[in-house]
PDB file of all heavy atoms in Angstrom:
ATOM      1  N   GLN V   1       1.998   7.436  -5.570  1.00 98.00           N
ATOM      2  CA  GLN V   1       3.206   7.802  -4.828  1.00 98.00           C
ATOM      3  C   GLN V   1       3.804   6.632  -4.045  1.00 98.00           C
ATOM      4  O   GLN V   1       4.822   6.808  -3.379  1.00 98.00           O
ATOM      5  CB  GLN V   1       2.899   8.952  -3.866  1.00 98.00           C
ATOM      6  CG  GLN V   1       2.558  10.271  -4.536  1.00 98.00           C
ATOM      7  CD  GLN V   1       3.740  10.862  -5.273  1.00 98.00           C
ATOM      8  OE1 GLN V   1       4.891  10.697  -4.869  1.00 98.00           O
ATOM      9  NE2 GLN V   1       3.472  11.569  -6.363  1.00 98.00           N
ATOM     10  N   PHE V   2       3.186   5.453  -4.102  1.00 98.00           N
ATOM     11  CA  PHE V   2       3.638   4.366  -3.227  1.00 98.00           C
ATOM     12  C   PHE V   2       5.090   3.969  -3.449  1.00 98.00           C
ATOM     13  O   PHE V   2       5.870   3.869  -2.491  1.00 98.00           O
ATOM     14  CB  PHE V   2       2.755   3.138  -3.384  1.00 98.00           C
ATOM     15  CG  PHE V   2       3.267   1.951  -2.608  1.00 98.00           C
ATOM     16  CD1 PHE V   2       3.216   1.937  -1.226  1.00 98.00           C
ATOM     17  CD2 PHE V   2       3.845   0.872  -3.262  1.00 98.00           C
ATOM     18  CE1 PHE V   2       3.721   0.858  -0.493  1.00 98.00           C
ATOM     19  CE2 PHE V   2       4.346  -0.207  -2.547  1.00 98.00           C
ATOM     20  CZ  PHE V   2       4.282  -0.212  -1.162  1.00 98.00           C
ATOM     21  N   ASN V   3       5.466   3.707  -4.687  1.00 97.00           N
ATOM     22  CA  ASN V   3       6.830   3.229  -4.944  1.00 97.00           C
ATOM     23  C   ASN V   3       7.876   4.233  -4.474  1.00 97.00           C
ATOM     24  O   ASN V   3       8.903   3.850  -3.897  1.00 97.00           O
ATOM     25  CB  ASN V   3       7.007   2.913  -6.427  1.00 97.00           C
ATOM     26  CG  ASN V   3       6.260   1.662  -6.841  1.00 97.00           C
ATOM     27  OD1 ASN V   3       6.176   0.702  -6.087  1.00 97.00           O
ATOM     28  ND2 ASN V   3       5.677   1.675  -8.032  1.00 97.00           N
ATOM     29  N   ARG V   4       7.614   5.509  -4.705  1.00 97.00           N
ATOM     30  CA  ARG V   4       8.565   6.528  -4.238  1.00 97.00           C
ATOM     31  C   ARG V   4       8.560   6.603  -2.712  1.00 97.00           C
ATOM     32  O   ARG V   4       9.626   6.696  -2.080  1.00 97.00           O
ATOM     33  CB  ARG V   4       8.224   7.891  -4.823  1.00 97.00           C
ATOM     34  CG  ARG V   4       9.195   8.987  -4.370  1.00 97.00           C
ATOM     35  CD  ARG V   4       8.927  10.330  -5.011  1.00 97.00           C
ATOM     36  NE  ARG V   4       9.913  11.293  -4.539  1.00 97.00           N
ATOM     37  CZ  ARG V   4       9.785  11.993  -3.414  1.00 97.00           C
ATOM     38  NH1 ARG V   4       8.709  11.833  -2.657  1.00 97.00           N
ATOM     39  NH2 ARG V   4      10.726  12.844  -3.046  1.00 97.00           N
ATOM     40  N   ASN V   5       7.381   6.570  -2.106  1.00 97.00           N
ATOM     41  CA  ASN V   5       7.303   6.683  -0.651  1.00 97.00           C
ATOM     42  C   ASN V   5       8.031   5.543   0.055  1.00 97.00           C
ATOM     43  O   ASN V   5       8.763   5.763   1.025  1.00 97.00           O
ATOM     44  CB  ASN V   5       5.839   6.717  -0.202  1.00 97.00           C
ATOM     45  CG  ASN V   5       5.158   8.042  -0.512  1.00 97.00           C
ATOM     46  OD1 ASN V   5       5.816   9.051  -0.747  1.00 97.00           O
ATOM     47  ND2 ASN V   5       3.839   8.044  -0.517  1.00 97.00           N
ATOM     48  N   ILE V   6       7.847   4.324  -0.436  1.00 96.00           N
ATOM     49  CA  ILE V   6       8.495   3.190   0.232  1.00 96.00           C
ATOM     50  C   ILE V   6      10.007   3.243   0.030  1.00 96.00           C
ATOM     51  O   ILE V   6      10.782   2.931   0.943  1.00 96.00           O
ATOM     52  CB  ILE V   6       7.899   1.842  -0.242  1.00 96.00           C
ATOM     53  CG1 ILE V   6       8.272   0.723   0.734  1.00 96.00           C
ATOM     54  CG2 ILE V   6       8.318   1.498  -1.659  1.00 96.00           C
ATOM     55  CD1 ILE V   6       7.532  -0.580   0.464  1.00 96.00           C
ATOM     56  N   SER V   7      10.449   3.681  -1.138  1.00 95.00           N
ATOM     57  CA  SER V   7      11.887   3.789  -1.400  1.00 95.00           C
ATOM     58  C   SER V   7      12.527   4.852  -0.512  1.00 95.00           C
ATOM     59  O   SER V   7      13.640   4.660   0.006  1.00 95.00           O
ATOM     60  CB  SER V   7      12.137   4.123  -2.875  1.00 95.00           C
ATOM     61  OG  SER V   7      11.711   3.072  -3.708  1.00 95.00           O
ATOM     62  N   GLU V   8      11.823   5.960  -0.323  1.00 95.00           N
ATOM     63  CA  GLU V   8      12.358   7.033   0.515  1.00 95.00           C
ATOM     64  C   GLU V   8      12.419   6.623   1.982  1.00 95.00           C
ATOM     65  O   GLU V   8      13.392   6.932   2.682  1.00 95.00           O
ATOM     66  CB  GLU V   8      11.498   8.296   0.352  1.00 95.00           C
ATOM     67  CG  GLU V   8      11.701   9.015  -0.966  1.00 95.00           C
ATOM     68  CD  GLU V   8      13.080   9.629  -1.064  1.00 95.00           C
ATOM     69  OE1 GLU V   8      13.272  10.759  -0.589  1.00 95.00           O
ATOM     70  OE2 GLU V   8      13.989   8.956  -1.602  1.00 95.00           O
ATOM     71  N   CYS V   9      11.407   5.925   2.458  1.00 93.00           N
ATOM     72  CA  CYS V   9      11.439   5.456   3.844  1.00 93.00           C
ATOM     73  C   CYS V   9      12.605   4.498   4.068  1.00 93.00           C
ATOM     74  O   CYS V   9      13.292   4.567   5.099  1.00 93.00           O
ATOM     75  CB  CYS V   9      10.122   4.768   4.207  1.00 93.00           C
ATOM     76  SG  CYS V   9       8.752   5.914   4.488  1.00 93.00           S
ATOM     77  N   GLU V  10      12.865   3.645   3.105  1.00 90.00           N
ATOM     78  CA  GLU V  10      13.981   2.698   3.230  1.00 90.00           C
ATOM     79  C   GLU V  10      15.320   3.424   3.124  1.00 90.00           C
ATOM     80  O   GLU V  10      16.268   3.094   3.844  1.00 90.00           O
ATOM     81  CB  GLU V  10      13.849   1.617   2.168  1.00 90.00           C
ATOM     82  CG  GLU V  10      12.677   0.687   2.440  1.00 90.00           C
ATOM     83  CD  GLU V  10      12.461  -0.346   1.360  1.00 90.00           C
ATOM     84  OE1 GLU V  10      13.062  -0.215   0.274  1.00 90.00           O
ATOM     85  OE2 GLU V  10      11.692  -1.299   1.601  1.00 90.00           O
ATOM     86  N   ARG V  11      15.387   4.416   2.258  1.00 90.00           N
ATOM     87  CA  ARG V  11      16.639   5.175   2.126  1.00 90.00           C
ATOM     88  C   ARG V  11      16.995   5.880   3.424  1.00 90.00           C
ATOM     89  O   ARG V  11      18.169   5.928   3.821  1.00 90.00           O
ATOM     90  CB  ARG V  11      16.501   6.201   0.998  1.00 90.00           C
ATOM     91  CG  ARG V  11      17.733   7.109   0.813  1.00 90.00           C
ATOM     92  CD  ARG V  11      17.548   8.076  -0.340  1.00 90.00           C
ATOM     93  NE  ARG V  11      16.556   9.093  -0.060  1.00 90.00           N
ATOM     94  CZ  ARG V  11      16.812  10.242   0.577  1.00 90.00           C
ATOM     95  NH1 ARG V  11      18.035  10.492   1.025  1.00 90.00           N
ATOM     96  NH2 ARG V  11      15.855  11.133   0.767  1.00 90.00           N
ATOM     97  N   LEU V  12      15.988   6.406   4.111  1.00 90.00           N
ATOM     98  CA  LEU V  12      16.221   7.207   5.309  1.00 90.00           C
ATOM     99  C   LEU V  12      16.093   6.408   6.604  1.00 90.00           C
ATOM    100  O   LEU V  12      16.287   6.949   7.687  1.00 90.00           O
ATOM    101  CB  LEU V  12      15.227   8.379   5.334  1.00 90.00           C
ATOM    102  CG  LEU V  12      15.419   9.411   4.220  1.00 90.00           C
ATOM    103  CD1 LEU V  12      14.220  10.338   4.120  1.00 90.00           C
ATOM    104  CD2 LEU V  12      16.692  10.219   4.456  1.00 90.00           C
ATOM    105  N   GLY V  13      15.778   5.112   6.493  1.00 86.00           N
ATOM    106  CA  GLY V  13      15.653   4.298   7.695  1.00 86.00           C
ATOM    107  C   GLY V  13      14.434   4.620   8.527  1.00 86.00           C
ATOM    108  O   GLY V  13      14.452   4.481   9.756  1.00 86.00           O
ATOM    109  N   ILE V  14      13.345   5.053   7.868  1.00 92.00           N
ATOM    110  CA  ILE V  14      12.099   5.342   8.584  1.00 92.00           C
ATOM    111  C   ILE V  14      11.272   4.057   8.651  1.00 92.00           C
ATOM    112  O   ILE V  14      10.891   3.512   7.610  1.00 92.00           O
ATOM    113  CB  ILE V  14      11.294   6.443   7.869  1.00 92.00           C
ATOM    114  CG1 ILE V  14      12.101   7.745   7.811  1.00 92.00           C
ATOM    115  CG2 ILE V  14       9.961   6.676   8.570  1.00 92.00           C
ATOM    116  CD1 ILE V  14      11.450   8.831   6.971  1.00 92.00           C
ATOM    117  N   PRO V  15      10.982   3.535   9.827  1.00 93.00           N
ATOM    118  CA  PRO V  15      10.143   2.330   9.921  1.00 93.00           C
ATOM    119  C   PRO V  15       8.778   2.591   9.293  1.00 93.00           C
ATOM    120  O   PRO V  15       8.195   3.661   9.475  1.00 93.00           O
ATOM    121  CB  PRO V  15      10.024   2.103  11.432  1.00 93.00           C
ATOM    122  CG  PRO V  15      11.194   2.825  12.026  1.00 93.00           C
ATOM    123  CD  PRO V  15      11.419   4.017  11.150  1.00 93.00           C
ATOM    124  N   TYR V  16       8.249   1.609   8.561  1.00 95.00           N
ATOM    125  CA  TYR V  16       6.980   1.840   7.875  1.00 95.00           C
ATOM    126  C   TYR V  16       6.118   0.586   7.871  1.00 95.00           C
ATOM    127  O   TYR V  16       6.592  -0.542   7.992  1.00 95.00           O
ATOM    128  CB  TYR V  16       7.225   2.307   6.433  1.00 95.00           C
ATOM    129  CG  TYR V  16       7.868   1.257   5.545  1.00 95.00           C
ATOM    130  CD1 TYR V  16       7.096   0.319   4.867  1.00 95.00           C
ATOM    131  CD2 TYR V  16       9.256   1.185   5.406  1.00 95.00           C
ATOM    132  CE1 TYR V  16       7.679  -0.655   4.072  1.00 95.00           C
ATOM    133  CE2 TYR V  16       9.851   0.219   4.609  1.00 95.00           C
ATOM    134  CZ  TYR V  16       9.050  -0.701   3.946  1.00 95.00           C
ATOM    135  OH  TYR V  16       9.636  -1.673   3.170  1.00 95.00           O
ATOM    136  N   GLY V  17       4.826   0.820   7.739  1.00 96.00           N
ATOM    137  CA  GLY V  17       3.855  -0.219   7.452  1.00 96.00           C
ATOM    138  C   GLY V  17       3.084   0.228   6.225  1.00 96.00           C
ATOM    139  O   GLY V  17       3.353   1.299   5.673  1.00 96.00           O
ATOM    140  N   VAL V  18       2.108  -0.566   5.787  1.00 98.00           N
ATOM    141  CA  VAL V  18       1.343  -0.206   4.597  1.00 98.00           C
ATOM    142  C   VAL V  18      -0.138  -0.518   4.826  1.00 98.00           C
ATOM    143  O   VAL V  18      -0.502  -1.248   5.754  1.00 98.00           O
ATOM    144  CB  VAL V  18       1.838  -0.961   3.341  1.00 98.00           C
ATOM    145  CG1 VAL V  18       3.311  -0.662   3.081  1.00 98.00           C
ATOM    146  CG2 VAL V  18       1.610  -2.461   3.471  1.00 98.00           C
ATOM    147  N   TYR V  19      -0.981   0.055   3.950  1.00 98.00           N
ATOM    148  CA  TYR V  19      -2.400  -0.275   3.999  1.00 98.00           C
ATOM    149  C   TYR V  19      -2.989  -0.214   2.597  1.00 98.00           C
ATOM    150  O   TYR V  19      -2.430   0.421   1.694  1.00 98.00           O
ATOM    151  CB  TYR V  19      -3.156   0.662   4.939  1.00 98.00           C
ATOM    152  CG  TYR V  19      -3.394   2.073   4.425  1.00 98.00           C
ATOM    153  CD1 TYR V  19      -4.592   2.418   3.796  1.00 98.00           C
ATOM    154  CD2 TYR V  19      -2.435   3.071   4.578  1.00 98.00           C
ATOM    155  CE1 TYR V  19      -4.829   3.705   3.339  1.00 98.00           C
ATOM    156  CE2 TYR V  19      -2.657   4.367   4.126  1.00 98.00           C
ATOM    157  CZ  TYR V  19      -3.860   4.682   3.512  1.00 98.00           C
ATOM    158  OH  TYR V  19      -4.089   5.961   3.048  1.00 98.00           O
ATOM    159  N   VAL V  20      -4.112  -0.900   2.417  1.00 98.00           N
ATOM    160  CA  VAL V  20      -4.861  -0.831   1.169  1.00 98.00           C
ATOM    161  C   VAL V  20      -6.298  -0.453   1.513  1.00 98.00           C
ATOM    162  O   VAL V  20      -6.894  -0.991   2.457  1.00 98.00           O
ATOM    163  CB  VAL V  20      -4.808  -2.159   0.384  1.00 98.00           C
ATOM    164  CG1 VAL V  20      -5.441  -3.292   1.164  1.00 98.00           C
ATOM    165  CG2 VAL V  20      -5.470  -2.015  -0.986  1.00 98.00           C
ATOM    166  N   TYR V  21      -6.840   0.501   0.767  1.00 97.00           N
ATOM    167  CA  TYR V  21      -8.219   0.956   0.944  1.00 97.00           C
ATOM    168  C   TYR V  21      -9.118  -0.035   0.216  1.00 97.00           C
ATOM    169  O   TYR V  21      -9.060  -0.166  -0.998  1.00 97.00           O
ATOM    170  CB  TYR V  21      -8.353   2.364   0.370  1.00 97.00           C
ATOM    171  CG  TYR V  21      -9.680   3.060   0.613  1.00 97.00           C
ATOM    172  CD1 TYR V  21      -9.786   4.052   1.570  1.00 97.00           C
ATOM    173  CD2 TYR V  21     -10.802   2.749  -0.143  1.00 97.00           C
ATOM    174  CE1 TYR V  21     -10.995   4.727   1.770  1.00 97.00           C
ATOM    175  CE2 TYR V  21     -12.011   3.399   0.057  1.00 97.00           C
ATOM    176  CZ  TYR V  21     -12.099   4.392   1.014  1.00 97.00           C
ATOM    177  OH  TYR V  21     -13.292   5.048   1.218  1.00 97.00           O
ATOM    178  N   SER V  22      -9.958  -0.745   0.954  1.00 97.00           N
ATOM    179  CA  SER V  22     -10.720  -1.851   0.374  1.00 97.00           C
ATOM    180  C   SER V  22     -12.019  -1.404  -0.293  1.00 97.00           C
ATOM    181  O   SER V  22     -12.766  -0.576   0.235  1.00 97.00           O
ATOM    182  CB  SER V  22     -11.054  -2.881   1.445  1.00 97.00           C
ATOM    183  OG  SER V  22     -11.863  -3.911   0.893  1.00 97.00           O
ATOM    184  N   TYR V  23     -12.255  -2.006  -1.469  1.00 97.00           N
ATOM    185  CA  TYR V  23     -13.539  -1.895  -2.154  1.00 97.00           C
ATOM    186  C   TYR V  23     -14.135  -3.281  -2.403  1.00 97.00           C
ATOM    187  O   TYR V  23     -15.059  -3.430  -3.209  1.00 97.00           O
ATOM    188  CB  TYR V  23     -13.367  -1.206  -3.508  1.00 97.00           C
ATOM    189  CG  TYR V  23     -13.149   0.290  -3.446  1.00 97.00           C
ATOM    190  CD1 TYR V  23     -11.898   0.839  -3.652  1.00 97.00           C
ATOM    191  CD2 TYR V  23     -14.216   1.160  -3.215  1.00 97.00           C
ATOM    192  CE1 TYR V  23     -11.696   2.211  -3.629  1.00 97.00           C
ATOM    193  CE2 TYR V  23     -14.029   2.535  -3.181  1.00 97.00           C
ATOM    194  CZ  TYR V  23     -12.774   3.057  -3.396  1.00 97.00           C
ATOM    195  OH  TYR V  23     -12.588   4.422  -3.369  1.00 97.00           O
ATOM    196  N   ALA V  24     -13.615  -4.283  -1.739  1.00 97.00           N
ATOM    197  CA  ALA V  24     -14.005  -5.666  -2.031  1.00 97.00           C
ATOM    198  C   ALA V  24     -15.460  -5.930  -1.674  1.00 97.00           C
ATOM    199  O   ALA V  24     -15.906  -5.648  -0.560  1.00 97.00           O
ATOM    200  CB  ALA V  24     -13.097  -6.631  -1.285  1.00 97.00           C
ATOM    201  N   PHE V  25     -16.195  -6.516  -2.639  1.00 96.00           N
ATOM    202  CA  PHE V  25     -17.582  -6.913  -2.417  1.00 96.00           C
ATOM    203  C   PHE V  25     -17.692  -8.401  -2.070  1.00 96.00           C
ATOM    204  O   PHE V  25     -18.721  -8.849  -1.568  1.00 96.00           O
ATOM    205  CB  PHE V  25     -18.416  -6.651  -3.674  1.00 96.00           C
ATOM    206  CG  PHE V  25     -18.769  -5.202  -3.896  1.00 96.00           C
ATOM    207  CD1 PHE V  25     -18.288  -4.198  -3.061  1.00 96.00           C
ATOM    208  CD2 PHE V  25     -19.597  -4.848  -4.949  1.00 96.00           C
ATOM    209  CE1 PHE V  25     -18.618  -2.870  -3.278  1.00 96.00           C
ATOM    210  CE2 PHE V  25     -19.939  -3.523  -5.170  1.00 96.00           C
ATOM    211  CZ  PHE V  25     -19.454  -2.527  -4.337  1.00 96.00           C
ATOM    212  N   ASP V  26     -16.642  -9.175  -2.385  1.00 97.00           N
ATOM    213  CA  ASP V  26     -16.685 -10.609  -2.119  1.00 97.00           C
ATOM    214  C   ASP V  26     -15.281 -11.103  -1.787  1.00 97.00           C
ATOM    215  O   ASP V  26     -14.306 -10.354  -1.831  1.00 97.00           O
ATOM    216  CB  ASP V  26     -17.265 -11.377  -3.312  1.00 97.00           C
ATOM    217  CG  ASP V  26     -16.532 -11.095  -4.620  1.00 97.00           C
ATOM    218  OD1 ASP V  26     -15.280 -11.033  -4.608  1.00 97.00           O
ATOM    219  OD2 ASP V  26     -17.203 -10.944  -5.661  1.00 97.00           O
ATOM    220  N   ASN V  27     -15.181 -12.380  -1.459  1.00 97.00           N
ATOM    221  CA  ASN V  27     -13.898 -12.948  -1.033  1.00 97.00           C
ATOM    222  C   ASN V  27     -12.853 -12.921  -2.136  1.00 97.00           C
ATOM    223  O   ASN V  27     -11.659 -12.751  -1.866  1.00 97.00           O
ATOM    224  CB  ASN V  27     -14.106 -14.381  -0.539  1.00 97.00           C
ATOM    225  CG  ASN V  27     -14.805 -14.426   0.808  1.00 97.00           C
ATOM    226  OD1 ASN V  27     -15.050 -13.391   1.426  1.00 97.00           O
ATOM    227  ND2 ASN V  27     -15.161 -15.623   1.260  1.00 97.00           N
ATOM    228  N   GLN V  28     -13.279 -13.131  -3.380  1.00 98.00           N
ATOM    229  CA  GLN V  28     -12.316 -13.122  -4.473  1.00 98.00           C
ATOM    230  C   GLN V  28     -11.697 -11.740  -4.637  1.00 98.00           C
ATOM    231  O   GLN V  28     -10.485 -11.611  -4.840  1.00 98.00           O
ATOM    232  CB  GLN V  28     -12.983 -13.551  -5.791  1.00 98.00           C
ATOM    233  CG  GLN V  28     -12.012 -13.618  -6.973  1.00 98.00           C
ATOM    234  CD  GLN V  28     -10.842 -14.549  -6.709  1.00 98.00           C
ATOM    235  OE1 GLN V  28     -11.043 -15.738  -6.444  1.00 98.00           O
ATOM    236  NE2 GLN V  28      -9.607 -14.029  -6.767  1.00 98.00           N
ATOM    237  N   GLN V  29     -12.495 -10.707  -4.526  1.00 98.00           N
ATOM    238  CA  GLN V  29     -11.955  -9.351  -4.627  1.00 98.00           C
ATOM    239  C   GLN V  29     -11.036  -9.044  -3.447  1.00 98.00           C
ATOM    240  O   GLN V  29     -10.012  -8.368  -3.605  1.00 98.00           O
ATOM    241  CB  GLN V  29     -13.095  -8.339  -4.720  1.00 98.00           C
ATOM    242  CG  GLN V  29     -13.849  -8.407  -6.041  1.00 98.00           C
ATOM    243  CD  GLN V  29     -14.936  -7.364  -6.156  1.00 98.00           C
ATOM    244  OE1 GLN V  29     -15.343  -6.737  -5.167  1.00 98.00           O
ATOM    245  NE2 GLN V  29     -15.435  -7.157  -7.376  1.00 98.00           N
ATOM    246  N   ALA V  30     -11.378  -9.545  -2.258  1.00 98.00           N
ATOM    247  CA  ALA V  30     -10.501  -9.365  -1.091  1.00 98.00           C
ATOM    248  C   ALA V  30      -9.163 -10.061  -1.321  1.00 98.00           C
ATOM    249  O   ALA V  30      -8.098  -9.530  -0.976  1.00 98.00           O
ATOM    250  CB  ALA V  30     -11.174  -9.907   0.163  1.00 98.00           C
ATOM    251  N   ALA V  31      -9.214 -11.257  -1.911  1.00 98.00           N
ATOM    252  CA  ALA V  31      -7.977 -11.980  -2.228  1.00 98.00           C
ATOM    253  C   ALA V  31      -7.160 -11.224  -3.267  1.00 98.00           C
ATOM    254  O   ALA V  31      -5.924 -11.179  -3.178  1.00 98.00           O
ATOM    255  CB  ALA V  31      -8.306 -13.386  -2.735  1.00 98.00           C
ATOM    256  N   ASP V  32      -7.836 -10.619  -4.228  1.00 98.00           N
ATOM    257  CA  ASP V  32      -7.133  -9.836  -5.250  1.00 98.00           C
ATOM    258  C   ASP V  32      -6.464  -8.606  -4.630  1.00 98.00           C
ATOM    259  O   ASP V  32      -5.355  -8.224  -5.030  1.00 98.00           O
ATOM    260  CB  ASP V  32      -8.104  -9.400  -6.345  1.00 98.00           C
ATOM    261  CG  ASP V  32      -8.562 -10.572  -7.213  1.00 98.00           C
ATOM    262  OD1 ASP V  32      -7.958 -11.658  -7.101  1.00 98.00           O
ATOM    263  OD2 ASP V  32      -9.526 -10.391  -7.984  1.00 98.00           O
ATOM    264  N   GLU V  33      -7.119  -7.990  -3.659  1.00 98.00           N
ATOM    265  CA  GLU V  33      -6.511  -6.842  -2.972  1.00 98.00           C
ATOM    266  C   GLU V  33      -5.249  -7.280  -2.230  1.00 98.00           C
ATOM    267  O   GLU V  33      -4.225  -6.578  -2.257  1.00 98.00           O
ATOM    268  CB  GLU V  33      -7.522  -6.214  -2.013  1.00 98.00           C
ATOM    269  CG  GLU V  33      -8.645  -5.479  -2.728  1.00 98.00           C
ATOM    270  CD  GLU V  33      -9.691  -4.899  -1.798  1.00 98.00           C
ATOM    271  OE1 GLU V  33      -9.920  -5.487  -0.712  1.00 98.00           O
ATOM    272  OE2 GLU V  33     -10.294  -3.873  -2.142  1.00 98.00           O
TER     273      GLU V  33
END
């Protein structure tokens, strides 16, 4: 739902931030996230 959610917030002028749920086991995976 991310692409729709961010588009709707921008359409309606709702201030937003974002987050990613991490599964990183090492620095490379953290960089990929």
Side-chain angles (χ1 to χ4, degrees):
Q1 293 293 327
F2 174 70
N3 288 324
R4 180 176 181 274
N5 286 342
I6 197 170
S7 295
E8 286 292 274
C9 284
E10 290 176 347
R11 177 179 70 86
L12 294 167
I14 299 173
Y16 66 87
V18 301
Y19 74 95
V20 62
Y21 187 104
S22 176
Y23 285 104
F25 284 4
D26 55 42
N27 287 355
Q28 182 57 58
Q29 290 183 345
D32 289 348
E33 289 178 330

